Amino acid sequence: MNYQNDKKSIILPIAVAVSLVLGIFLGATFFGKKTFISNAGGTSSVFKEVLMHINKSYVDEVNIDSLSQYGIEKMLEKLDPHTAFLPPQDAELASADLHNGFDGIGVEFNIFNDSLFVVSPLVGGPSEAIGIKTGDIILKADTVNLTGKNLNSNVVFKSLRGPRNSIVKLTIKRKGTKNLLSFNVKRDKIPTYSIDAAYMMPDKKTGYIKVNRFAETTYDEFKAHLGSLKSKGMTQLMIDLRGNPGGYMDRATDMVDELVGGNDVIVYTKGKDRSNNYEVKASKSGIFEKGKIVVLVDEGSASASEIVSGALQDFDRATIVGRRTFGKGLVQAPIQLSDGSELRLTISRYYIPSGRSIQKPYELGKSEDYMEDMHNRYASKELFVKDSIKSNQKLKFKTKGGRTVYGGGGVTPDVFVPQDTSYYTGYLVDMFAKNIFREYSLNYTVQNTAKLQAMGFDTYLKNFQVDDKMLSDMKAIGAKNQVKFSEKDYQKSKEFIKTHVKALIARNVWKNNEKSGLTNEFYQIINQDDSMIKIGMSKF
């Protein structure tokens, strides 16, 4: 069985619960839909018999579907931490952001004060075409109320997404307009992007590319941006994979292939069933096989991100900067079940060029211990002190150039950068949790868009300052939303707040000038004070 060119060879979540806010899980690897012939027919029959008797004769009414799902989930808890069962609705949402778009109305939204705000209509989408604007409040979708304490992302998705060409009637409140507005929006395909930023750094020779996941279009996006940056004079490249949970594995190997020469193995897999064993070799002539590369990673870089960073490290092609990655090296196959649900079954392990597995240790049936790993890293000071990283001395491997690297638990960076918590306070967390910064930035944008656009981004980047009045207004909004003010915390977080709000305003003002999904302006501001980027730049 050859999966090398299977576009559904992907890396998906470690958890069953769908993250509706982020849209994707923390990654785990799996391949295209598969059907396995079961040899457990007898046990299956007994399971069905038990459910049948419960349904027919149990003294109280019970939900058989819910009971069956519970039984499946408890059974899978006895296996590895990445084997999972997804009910139909969760399976659909889990994969939506990895596909090349979804059907909907095309808005970026924000839930604030139990209300649904339009952050921006997406360029080329149906909402933009019909006249929905930044700052609009969506009160209803058809007859569904989109206000109140029960409002959440799941309710929004169910109301605004739907079959292409179907129509949803939106009731909207617009600032400065006395009467409510009504829009009939015809849903359409909404493109999704997996590269957040691609721009030239101030030194005019370093290209920066931020990849948020490995989705269906990631490689095509990456190749296009790589070529564009090269045409602008890029001679060295920084790839930012921090917080990237994974995605389609063949997009990751294609990315590596674009950066390395020769025909060496990029990744290979081994499992009990030999049909699940395969290897991917470098095969194409890449457009950036020369020139220095720095890759940024952290504890949130998982799966496909670890294939990219680990393979480039094993080939001695890039300097890896940051903190030890998540440690996900198990391969899952998604098995579609008759009711639309999915079983994601671990079928093999993958290995990067040096022969090492980056899967961190686990015990069957002890997923809770496995999930405690991040807490343990924090408690052991690993996120802050390089010497706290404990490499398994029994799992030594050699890079192509003869350097020692370690398997058995993520990709350890060549250059360690501690987590920066200097600005991290309870006040800041509360302001973020209640969406104060985003809400303030949205309001400021609505009131000042024309002036800021006339200024131009280059002038904004150089001269605009979040002043004391703006900070005072933000604090006031926080107070109205029961954010407890602390002067000590505020002073500690103040500079971060100023930078973050400046970046959010820039994102709101200039995002729609880009038709490629990029938010370069946001990252050009936020990255100025990023310690990992500063250290990464020093390693070219």
Side-chain angles (χ1 to χ4, degrees):
M1 187 178 298
N2 183 4
Y3 296 99
Q4 180 169 345
N5 296 315
D6 179 4
K7 72 177 183 179
K8 293 184 179 179
S9 300
I10 65 181
I11 299 175
L12 267 196
I14 65 166
V16 175
V18 176
S19 171
L20 294 172
V21 176
L22 299 178
I24 55 174
F25 292 128
L26 183 61
T29 308
F30 74 72
F31 298 108
K33 309 292 184 192
K34 298 172 73 74
T35 300
F36 292 126
I37 299 174
S38 172
N39 61 1
T43 305
S44 175
S45 296
V46 172
F47 185 70
K48 289 179 181 178
E49 282 185 67
V50 171
L51 289 176
M52 180 187 70
H53 286 296
I54 292 173
N55 191 39
K56 180 182 178 181
S57 305
Y58 184 67
V59 63
D60 296 320
E61 288 295 326
V62 293
N63 186 319
I64 290 297
D65 289 339
S66 176
L67 198 62
S68 176
Q69 180 179 322
Y70 177 79
I72 292 170
E73 291 173 353
K74 297 304 288 184
M75 173 179 65
L76 297 184
E77 287 179 7
K78 297 296 184 181
L79 303 180
D80 69 275
H82 296 283
T83 291
F85 171 80
L86 297 183
Q89 66 275 16
D90 289 355
E92 181 180 354
L93 286 172
S95 60
D97 278 359
L98 292 178
H99 295 159
N100 184 19
F102 54 87
D103 293 340
I105 69 167
V107 294
E108 181 184 352
F109 66 85
N110 181 38
I111 296 173
F112 181 77
N113 278 347
D114 300 326
S115 297
L116 180 63
F117 287 81
V118 176
V119 174
S120 65
L122 301 182
V123 174
S127 290
E128 183 199 39
I130 207 168
I132 292 174
K133 296 182 178 181
T134 295
D136 283 350
I137 302 173
I138 303 177
L139 302 177
K140 280 187 177 182
D142 291 328
T143 60
V144 179
N145 287 317
L146 296 177
T147 60
K149 295 189 179 299
N150 292 326
L151 182 65
N152 56 49
S153 296
N154 195 12
V155 172
V156 175
F157 287 162
K158 287 181 177 180
S159 303
L160 302 186
R161 290 184 179 182
R164 196 174 312 179
N165 295 323
S166 63
I167 293 175
V168 58
K169 181 181 179 181
L170 301 183
T171 303
I172 283 179
K173 180 179 179 181
R174 178 172 293 169
K175 187 174 183 178
T177 302
K178 183 177 180 180
N179 297 323
L180 298 181
L181 304 176
S182 180
F183 293 88
N184 290 322
V185 185
K186 182 184 288 188
R187 296 181 178 97
D188 202 350
K189 183 174 182 179
I190 310 302
T192 56
Y193 300 97
S194 53
I195 292 185
D196 289 331
Y199 64 87
M200 292 296 292
M201 298 289 275
D203 66 355
K204 304 298 183 184
K205 63 180 180 180
T206 304
Y208 171 86
I209 299 180
K210 169 71 173 175
V211 188
N212 64 51
R213 64 192 183 280
F214 288 87
E216 197 167 36
T217 61
T218 301
Y219 169 64
D220 292 333
E221 293 177 56
F222 177 77
K223 186 175 181 181
H225 293 313
L226 193 66
S228 175
L229 292 175
K230 191 173 180 181
S231 72
K232 294 175 182 177
M234 177 184 70
T235 58
Q236 52 195 36
L237 172 65
M238 178 176 287
I239 303 173
D240 193 341
L241 298 179
R242 289 176 292 178
N244 183 321
Y248 290 96
M249 191 169 74
D250 62 347
R251 304 321 192 262
T253 55
D254 283 344
M255 183 183 292
V256 173
D257 200 359
E258 207 62 54
L259 304 173
V260 300
N263 60 354
D264 291 334
V265 172
I266 296 173
V267 68
Y268 64 93
T269 66
K270 288 183 179 180
K272 180 171 64 177
D273 183 348
R274 290 186 179 181
S275 67
N276 294 323
N277 298 347
Y278 83 109
E279 64 181 22
V280 177
K281 291 184 177 182
S283 60
K284 63 172 68 77
S285 178
I287 60 176
F288 197 74
E289 293 183 355
K290 304 293 182 183
K292 294 181 179 179
I293 300 174
V294 165
V295 179
L296 308 182
V297 296
D298 64 11
E299 56 282 352
S301 306
S303 212
S305 296
E306 294 172 296
I307 290 174
V308 172
S309 54
L312 292 176
Q313 185 181 55
D314 282 355
F315 287 139
D316 293 300
R317 181 68 186 92
T319 301
I320 312 302
V321 175
R323 294 182 292 278
R324 184 165 65 95
T325 61
F326 181 84
K328 165 66 178 67
L330 295 174
V331 182
Q332 283 76 49
I335 304 165
Q336 182 115 31
L337 304 177
S338 58
D339 65 347
S341 58
E342 281 188 0
L343 169 64
R344 291 176 178 173
L345 183 67
T346 298
I347 58 172
S348 60
R349 291 178 172 82
Y350 72 74
Y351 301 82
I352 50 179
S354 63
R356 57 179 166 150
S357 166
I358 51 80
Q359 175 62 43
K360 60 187 177 184
Y362 66 90
E363 291 185 52
L364 291 178
K366 293 189 176 181
S367 295
E368 290 186 8
D369 293 343
Y370 184 83
M371 299 306 174
E372 285 290 310
D373 178 60
M374 287 301 158
H375 171 76
N376 294 337
R377 292 192 198 192
Y378 183 88
S380 69
K381 307 294 185 184
E382 180 184 321
L383 302 182
F384 308 99
V385 181
K386 178 181 179 180
D387 292 342
S388 296
I389 300 176
K390 305 301 181 185
S391 299
N392 190 333
Q393 297 299 313
K394 295 180 180 179
L395 297 175
K396 288 185 179 181
F397 297 84
K398 295 293 184 181
T399 68
K400 195 171 184 179
R403 294 185 303 123
T404 298
V405 288
Y406 296 91
V411 176
T412 300
D414 303 306
V415 180
F416 176 78
V417 181
Q419 191 177 74
D420 181 9
T421 59
S422 60
Y423 59 86
Y424 197 77
T425 64
Y427 176 72
L428 181 69
V429 171
D430 207 5
M431 291 285 277
F432 265 117
K434 293 180 177 174
N435 262 332
I436 307 303
F437 301 131
R438 197 171 182 184
E439 172 63 12
Y440 175 81
S441 302
L442 178 59
N443 289 337
Y444 188 90
T445 302
V446 171
Q447 296 168 14
N448 296 278
T449 295
K451 179 179 69 175
L452 295 172
Q453 285 181 337
M455 178 189 300
F457 176 70
D458 289 342
T459 301
Y460 178 90
L461 175 65
K462 184 177 180 181
N463 297 327
F464 183 87
Q465 296 292 327
V466 174
D467 59 29
D468 289 340
K469 182 181 184 308
M470 295 172 69
L471 291 169
S472 179
D473 290 344
M474 270 182 277
K475 286 189 286 185
I477 295 174
K480 287 182 181 179
N481 286 274
Q482 287 77 52
V483 176
K484 185 177 179 181
F485 181 75
S486 163
E487 181 65 28
K488 180 180 178 181
D489 282 2
Y490 170 71
Q491 290 300 331
K492 190 175 180 181
S493 301
K494 184 177 179 180
E495 291 306 312
F496 173 83
I497 291 172
K498 291 169 67 175
T499 300
H500 189 74
V501 170
K502 179 178 178 178
L504 285 173
I505 293 170
R507 182 176 181 268
N508 292 338
V509 172
W510 284 283
K511 181 180 180 181
N512 281 354
N513 292 337
E514 292 282 3
K515 294 191 176 183
S516 57
L518 298 179
T519 52
N520 285 342
E521 294 80 11
F522 176 87
Y523 284 96
Q524 282 178 271
I525 294 169
I526 213 77
N527 286 346
Q528 287 181 317
D529 297 322
D530 191 309
S531 59
M532 195 180 293
I533 286 181
K534 290 179 180 179
I535 292 172
M537 289 294 293
S538 73
K539 300 305 173 182
F540 282 113

